[in-house]
Amino acid sequence: MTQPDLYALVIKLTATENSTLRQTQGRLAHAAFMAILDTVDPALTQALHDYKGRKPFTIAPLRGFGRSRNGTLNIRAGANGYLRITLHDPVLFQTFIAYFLHNFQQSTIALQPAHFVVTEILTTPNSHEWAGVITLHDLWEQWESADSSFVTPNLSLQFESPTTFSIRNPNLKHRLNHVLPDPYFVFGELAGC
């Protein structure tokens, strides 16, 4: 059996206490992800941190904990929701999941100042609409075998959370964030995957 290339994990969470977060917690979720990797493999985490190209993962904001109001999200103790992480690297998947395999009974995720108990990690197709694994070969085979009458030159995308595209500018020391889903940024580097 071939190892998957693409992973979509849905991590079910239960809040351990009342807390308030900013509406946009992307940096907090990113920090939590990196902290988990660092616990298992500090060298891999440092290499991933230092890598200058596109990172082989995405992290979506918390979902299921209600709507934010006035730029803040109030989370009540015992509330349930989830975090979604996608990975395009089997080593990252193995490292990330190893943390939970060894610590599952006490696994927590901190999005400071909020803390959550991990109750379940969904990775199999049909376990959640946003979870699954697949090889690039199988993805290509699905595309090739699709009914061509459904193929259209138009494609509609719906972004479920605020999305930016990080752009490195050689004239600047930092990255720029492009906020429009221009085709180049959405699809431009997929051919190199």
Side-chain angles (χ1 to χ4, degrees), residues 7 9-11 33 36-37 40 87 90-104 107 120-123:
Y7 304 82
L9 293 78
V10 173
I11 303 165
F33 173 73
I36 289 169
L37 291 179
V40 178
L87 305 167
V91 173
L92 271 183
F93 172 76
Q94 292 165 3
T95 305
F96 183 75
I97 209 71
Y99 172 83
F100 297 100
L101 291 174
H102 297 299
N103 301 304
F104 194 78
S107 292
E120 191 173 13
I121 299 175
L122 305 173
T123 59

Side-chain angles (χ1 to χ4, degrees), residues 121-136:
I121 299 175
L122 305 173
T123 59
T124 57
N126 302 320
S127 61
H128 189 278
E129 65 181 334
W130 287 6
V133 297
I134 195 166
T135 66
L136 290 174

Side-chain angles (χ1 to χ4, degrees), residues 12-27:
K12 290 189 166 187
L13 305 169
T14 300
T16 60
E17 72 258 336
N18 293 339
S19 57
T20 301
L21 294 174
R22 287 185 15 204
Q23 178 179 353
T24 55
Q25 347 69 33
R27 289 181 185 225

